[in-house]
Amino acid sequence: MNFNVDAMQEPLLKAATWVQGNSVLQAIKNAFVRTIPFTVIGSFSNLISMQLNALIANQGWEGGFLEKVSNLFSNLGLATLGIIGIIVVLSSAYSYANELSQRPENKNMNKIIATLLALAAYFVMVPNNVNFSDPSVEAVEGFAPSFFNYEGMFTGLVIGMVSVYLFSLFSRTKLTIKMPDSVPQNVFDSFFALIPMTGVLLIFGVVRIAIEAMGFASLSELVQTFLITPLTSVGTGLPAIIVVILAEQILWFLGLHGFNIVWGVVGAFWLPLFLENVSKFAETQSFAGITIAPNTMTNVYAMIGGSGATFGLLIAMLILTRKGDKEREVAKLGLIPGCFGINEPIIFGLPIVLNPIMLIPWIVVPIANAVIAYIVTKIGWVVPLVVQNAGNEPIFISTWVLGAFHLSPVVLTAVLVVLDVFLYAPFVMIHLRNEREVQAEQVAEENQTGEAIV
């Protein structure tokens, strides 16, 4: 059967053009691109720390040099992924401020002040006691780490974008303090921003009071209640697996860490099922009576190489790209991290975030992987995954360990990778064709401009 690439290309490219012209979506995309070095460093640091901790525990080397090295990488992970929510606040605010400042009506808006305002607005919304969730105990001053890590990413994005928009809106009114032209620019900007900043912070303060009056401890809790918690009612079978994957992939497409956001809630219901299998297999050394744990379908088979099963995408890009193509360099850069399930370089480097051309395979490929893996495991062709591991081992070694050192999970993983290559390939071709057409148009415009000047 022939795959008609041209029939799919036109609507996808129209959607891509709309996304490229939308300042909000572009700001979101650029904001998360800037988080790449932090997420990559944090992911590798946590990987190294976990492996060292396992080695130390197995060998009884507590208190030695390796433990200090493990603590070093643990600190790096805390300083990157541990504050990724704050990084998103600053990055999203700066990206949106940069987009808005290009409009003539926002010529007086200072991007740095707008970014710092977003950080202040975020802290206005964050409870300033660690045990905020339990009003019956004495308050302990401080901030809960959950507001700074991945749990704070969504609210950080919203607050960062909204605060900058409100700041730009207020800056266009007459409610500003304008200094003489002779005043240095930094002094002019500071006084000009005073009243707009006050208005923005007051609005967020009132919103926080309203949220607390509704019975919620924070904006994050409100979002989790109405957006995330409903996912916990979907069950543990194949339909539930598909729903969770769909939610994760859509969140990732929007630039949010879909796995961390969804799994933070679903994991509380699914992980015990897996641990029950681990315990049962450890006692009996038999697969009899072992059920299919949904987390193994969503986190292992559906996401080979990271969210979206991008290991197959990397291979497709290496096969279809030419020497010198940007996409080829991105694939080469992401190949080794992809072996460990770290795929931020490909998600933000291709990019996949807010790229309508890649949306269809981004959703279809992991769902297809999960459905196939579920069926072949259900009928007994592949053994269930019953060993608890660190989760960051290389792809095929990981499934070998998880499957109690049986080869059937490894074979299934290899088959799924080949399938993923074929599923991603047509969309990689569309993306490459679009990029080359854009480059050709740019070269033509530059040549015409050069001829006009001559």
Side-chain angles (χ1 to χ4, degrees):
M1 181 177 69
N2 294 327
F3 190 90
N4 191 342
V5 174
D6 293 329
M8 295 184 58
Q9 184 172 6
E10 184 176 353
L12 290 174
L13 294 185
K14 285 183 178 179
T17 301
W18 178 81
V19 168
Q20 291 170 2
N22 188 290
S23 60
V24 174
L25 297 180
Q26 287 304 306
I28 294 174
K29 182 183 73 174
N30 293 333
F32 283 96
V33 166
R34 293 189 180 94
T35 67
I36 291 176
F38 298 96
T39 54
V40 171
I41 292 172
S43 297
F44 269 112
S45 296
N46 288 340
L47 168 64
I48 295 171
S49 178
M50 284 189 295
Q51 299 301 328
L52 287 177
N53 287 339
L55 179 62
I56 291 168
N58 290 333
Q59 300 297 326
W61 291 344
E62 291 82 359
F65 174 74
L66 278 183
E67 188 168 352
K68 292 182 173 60
V69 175
S70 175
N71 291 336
L72 167 63
F73 284 102
S74 178
N75 291 336
L76 292 180
L78 182 63
T80 49
L81 289 179
I83 61 166
I84 196 65
I86 295 296
I87 293 171
V88 168
V89 173
L90 297 171
S91 184
S92 61
Y94 179 80
S95 296
Y96 196 36
N98 190 51
E99 292 286 335
L100 293 179
S101 64
Q102 298 176 23
R103 301 176 183 177
E105 63 269 24
N106 295 322
K107 62 180 181 180
N108 290 325
M109 186 180 71
N110 186 291
K111 293 183 288 187
I112 300 300
I113 291 178
T115 303
L116 296 176
L117 169 62
L119 181 62
Y122 185 73
F123 275 92
V124 168
M125 300 293 291
V126 174
N128 57 353
N129 60 299
V130 175
N131 50 354
F132 65 94
S133 60
D134 188 0
S136 63
V137 301
E138 183 179 355
V140 177
E141 290 189 2
F143 298 100
S146 60
F147 291 103
F148 304 145
N149 59 22
Y150 65 87
E151 293 182 47
M153 289 178 69
F154 183 79
T155 52
L157 174 68
V158 172
I159 293 173
M161 302 280 286
V162 172
S163 61
V164 169
Y165 175 76
L166 292 175
F167 181 63
S168 69
L169 193 65
F170 292 161
S171 297
R172 297 197 297 268
T173 68
K174 295 181 179 180
L175 298 176
T176 56
I177 301 174
K178 295 184 179 179
M179 306 294 288
D181 293 338
S182 58
V183 173
Q185 187 63 43
N186 59 340
V187 177
F188 178 92
D189 290 341
S190 297
F191 278 91
F192 182 83
L194 270 176
I195 297 177
M197 284 182 62
T198 303
V200 172
L201 294 177
L202 283 173
I203 288 175
F204 278 100
V206 171
V207 170
R208 173 177 173 176
I209 293 173
I211 290 173
E212 291 174 348
M214 294 166 59
F216 297 99
S218 66
L219 175 61
S220 297
E221 182 180 314
L222 186 149
V223 170
Q224 179 169 311
T225 299
F226 289 102
L227 295 182
I228 306 301
T229 302
L231 289 172
T232 61
S233 63
V234 299
T236 59
L238 185 57
I241 292 170
I242 293 174
V243 169
V244 168
I245 292 173
L246 184 63
E248 288 184 14
Q249 296 308 103
I250 291 175
L251 288 170
W252 262 120
F253 181 76
L254 297 175
L256 301 171
H257 202 301
F259 170 79
N260 284 340
I261 293 174
V262 176
W263 184 248
V265 176
V266 175
F269 294 84
W270 283 7
L271 188 57
L273 299 177
F274 175 62
L275 296 180
E276 182 181 350
N277 285 348
V278 172
S279 177
K280 186 180 295 185
F281 182 81
E283 293 176 2
T284 64
Q285 293 297 303
S286 170
F287 292 103
I290 299 292
T291 59
I292 298 178
N295 68 301
T296 59
M297 299 294 111
T298 57
N299 302 347
V300 181
Y301 292 123
M303 309 297 181
I304 302 172
S307 295
T310 50
F311 193 73
L313 172 60
L314 289 169
I315 296 175
M317 290 170 63
L318 290 172
I319 294 172
L320 297 172
T321 53
R322 305 168 184 168
K323 185 176 181 180
D325 283 345
K326 178 202 74 173
E327 290 78 9
R328 188 172 188 84
E329 298 305 314
V330 170
K332 289 163 63 177
L333 175 66
L335 188 60
I336 293 178
C339 291
F340 294 88
I342 300 170
N343 63 346
E344 281 81 0
I346 187 71
I347 289 176
F348 298 108
L350 182 59
I352 292 174
V353 171
L354 297 177
N355 182 353
I357 295 175
M358 302 305 298
L359 176 59
I360 294 176
W362 178 247
I363 293 176
V364 169
V365 170
I367 290 178
N369 284 359
V371 170
I372 293 172
Y374 188 92
I375 292 173
V376 296
T377 304
K378 189 74 173 177
I379 62 180
W381 290 3
V382 175
V383 299
L385 304 183
V386 291
V387 176
Q388 187 175 16
N389 68 338
N392 294 103
E393 295 85 358
I395 293 170
F396 298 105
I397 294 178
S398 177
T399 48
W400 181 55
V401 173
L402 285 164
F405 306 105
H406 286 68
L407 288 178
S408 58
V410 181
V411 174
L412 172 59
T413 303
V415 171
L416 293 176
V417 168
V418 174
L419 173 66
D420 296 347
V421 172
F422 281 98
L423 291 176
Y424 267 117
F427 299 91
V428 172
M429 293 167 58
I430 294 174
H431 175 84
L432 291 173
R433 185 181 302 179
N434 180 48
E435 289 293 310
R436 288 162 185 165
E437 288 178 357
V438 170
Q439 291 175 5
E441 291 176 0
Q442 291 175 347
V443 171
E445 290 177 0
E446 291 173 0
N447 291 337
Q448 289 178 359
T449 302
E451 292 175 358
I453 294 174
V454 174

